[in-house]
Amino acid sequence: MAFLHLGILYAQGIGTEQNEILAHYFIKKAIDMGCKEAKEYVLMEYESGKKDFAKEIKSIIEDKDYITKETTAKIRAKVEKERKAKNYGNLSKISKNLSLLYPNFNLNRAIDDILNSRDTIDADILYATCTSNNEAEIYVEQQEKLLQQLFAPANRISINDRGINSELLSHDESELAQCLVNFTESYRIICNRYYVPPENIFTMDTLNFFPYIKVTDLTLLRQQGLRCLLSVKDIEPAIQNNYLNNLRNDKILLDICEQIKDQDMQLFLISFVELNIDIEALGITSLQLLSAYRSCNLVPHVEFLNAFVNRLTKAGIKHNLPQYTTENLPPINL
């Protein structure tokens, strides 16, 4: 504990000048000695946004004088920990450096693993890097727990047509809802026309939008979207030749879509891009709420919940939810 306290003093500049190097040294020493509180402190620093996992990894990798087999192995161990925790957003952030850590990655093998539901490193890397922006898919369990607690009073509200009442949806939820209609309909048409066994995917009838879309469901929806794309990859040559090689660049993907004559396939591929953008927008919101909570800032939670209460009132839904302040928020315990 003494080393942890020293590290925090240097990290925050309490009673001394702020010194990140000494802070890192003492906190790491505390962790090496088995200090549970030190591990929790580092986790909280990442979750609150005070520390950036990707920035730390990049700074080490880009220091050519520092990179050795030993340091590469240590970096890979950190990245593996994130991969096994399904923090795909952190892998996405270091996508340009993954080839150094996983030189044996093979795209075709990854596609085959995903289509056959094999849990492998290749499958995880492709999934983590299959969109241009996937930075919010970290600490998903904590995000989910926070939303569950914030919306606990709203779960007692009984309404009809819970899943598709558009008046109750936020802007980002509405965007996702429309995109999901386009994506699932175009995918259904393509599968029927080319006799492709369809993959399971959420629809407007199966994805619960009230009182909020679960973070875990958003993660699953992104996985389902990729599986759908891979399931029809042999139908359109542009998918094999160009699309799959440019999943990190939305502009290139949309340019490829413009060259496809099949309107249903074009709509499907455009919707794939939009689906991931809309999922990320919702993910960013919940991650920002988690970061605010870790920073002891409850104002964003008040604004977030009041926007939901106002949508309920505008839609004519009977409820007894108040206008929230920092004093009457539902209890949060993470």
Side-chain angles (χ1 to χ4, degrees):
M1 284 293 290
F3 286 121
L4 172 60
H5 288 315
L6 273 173
I8 292 174
L9 291 178
Y10 279 113
Q12 299 180 1
I14 300 174
T16 182
E17 288 189 15
Q18 195 171 19
N19 189 317
E20 286 293 329
I21 295 176
L22 287 176
H24 176 77
Y25 172 79
F26 285 117
I27 292 171
K28 185 178 184 302
K29 199 169 184 66
I31 291 173
D32 291 342
M33 294 178 67
C35 178
K36 180 181 176 182
E37 290 80 2
K39 293 180 181 178
E40 292 175 349
Y41 176 81
V42 171
L43 178 61
M44 188 178 74
E45 290 283 279
Y46 284 126
E47 290 176 354
S48 66
K50 293 177 182 177
K51 275 188 176 291
D52 189 318
F53 168 84
K55 185 177 180 180
E56 180 182 355
I57 296 298
K58 287 177 183 177
S59 66
I60 297 173
I61 289 177
E62 290 169 3
D63 187 347
K64 303 301 182 183
D65 296 330
Y66 186 65
I67 281 292
T68 64
K69 286 185 178 180
E70 182 180 358
T71 54
T72 301
K74 288 181 178 178
I75 294 169
R76 187 182 292 111
K78 279 190 172 186
V79 174
E80 270 296 287
K81 186 176 180 181
E82 294 300 296
R83 185 183 73 82
K84 290 176 180 177
K86 306 301 182 184
N87 287 332
Y88 294 121
N90 277 336
L91 269 67
S92 178
K93 290 179 184 179
I94 60 169
S95 59
K96 292 181 180 178
N97 304 114
L98 283 176
S99 59
L100 172 67
L101 304 173
Y102 299 100
N104 296 322
F105 169 75
N106 181 278
L107 177 60
N108 290 328
R109 190 168 59 227
I111 292 172
D112 189 61
D113 287 342
I114 289 175
L115 288 174
N116 289 283
S117 301
R118 289 193 287 263
D119 187 10
T120 65
I121 291 175
D122 283 335
D124 278 350
I125 291 175
L126 176 55
Y127 173 65
T129 58
C130 74
T131 64
S132 64
N133 190 4
N134 177 33
E135 297 187 2
E137 202 168 293
I138 54 176
Y139 314 118
V140 169
E141 289 185 7
Q142 290 95 330
Q143 291 183 46
E144 186 69 61
K145 189 174 180 181
L146 174 64
L147 290 178
Q148 284 176 349
Q149 294 178 9
L150 280 177
F151 280 104
N155 280 317
R156 295 191 288 270
I157 299 172
S158 178
I159 64 172
N160 296 322
D161 202 17
R162 289 166 65 94
I164 57 174
N165 189 333
S166 59
E167 290 182 300
L168 298 179
L169 303 182
S170 68
H171 172 76
D172 290 337
E173 288 170 336
S174 295
E175 292 288 311
L176 176 61
Q178 183 57 57
C179 179
L180 193 52
V181 170
N182 295 337
F183 186 85
T184 53
E185 179 61 14
S186 56
Y187 180 63
R188 182 190 65 79
I189 292 172
I190 292 167
C191 289
N192 287 342
R193 186 191 305 167
Y194 294 99
Y195 304 102
V196 174
E199 296 289 333
N200 291 326
I201 188 168
F202 283 123
T203 66
M204 283 293 293
D205 296 325
T206 60
L207 184 61
N208 189 6
F209 283 79
F210 185 84
Y212 66 98
I213 307 173
K214 291 182 178 179
V215 181
T216 48
D217 282 351
L218 290 173
T219 299
L220 183 56
L221 178 57
R222 206 168 76 83
Q223 290 174 321
Q224 291 173 341
L226 178 61
R227 285 176 65 89
C228 289
L229 171 65
L230 298 180
S231 73
V232 299
K233 65 182 177 60
D234 296 327
I235 295 173
E236 169 58 56
I239 298 178
Q240 285 275 35
N241 298 335
N242 298 313
Y243 200 91
L244 292 178
N245 293 318
N246 291 287
L247 293 176
R248 299 285 298 169
N249 192 315
D250 291 343
K251 184 180 184 304
I252 293 178
L253 292 182
L254 294 176
D255 288 342
I256 294 170
C257 291
E258 289 183 4
Q259 302 168 18
I260 296 174
K261 295 181 180 179
D262 185 327
Q263 290 187 350
D264 291 313
M265 180 63 79
Q266 186 183 66
L267 177 60
F268 171 73
L269 294 178
I270 291 173
S271 297
F272 175 80
V273 177
E274 293 177 344
L275 185 73
N276 288 294
I277 291 173
D278 294 340
I279 289 172
E280 178 69 9
L282 288 167
I284 287 174
T285 296
S286 59
L287 183 60
Q288 287 175 339
L289 290 173
L290 177 63
S291 299
Y293 172 77
R294 294 297 191 188
S295 301
C296 300
N297 176 17
L298 298 179
V299 173
H301 307 83
V302 171
E303 295 174 347
F304 180 71
L305 277 184
N306 282 338
F308 171 73
V309 172
N310 292 339
R311 291 197 300 273
L312 281 175
T313 303
K314 185 176 180 181
I317 304 298
K318 292 183 179 180
H319 66 86
N320 58 359
L321 300 179
Q323 280 293 304
Y324 286 99
T325 69
T326 54
E327 303 298 321
N328 67 345
L329 279 174
I332 306 171
N333 181 24
L334 299 183

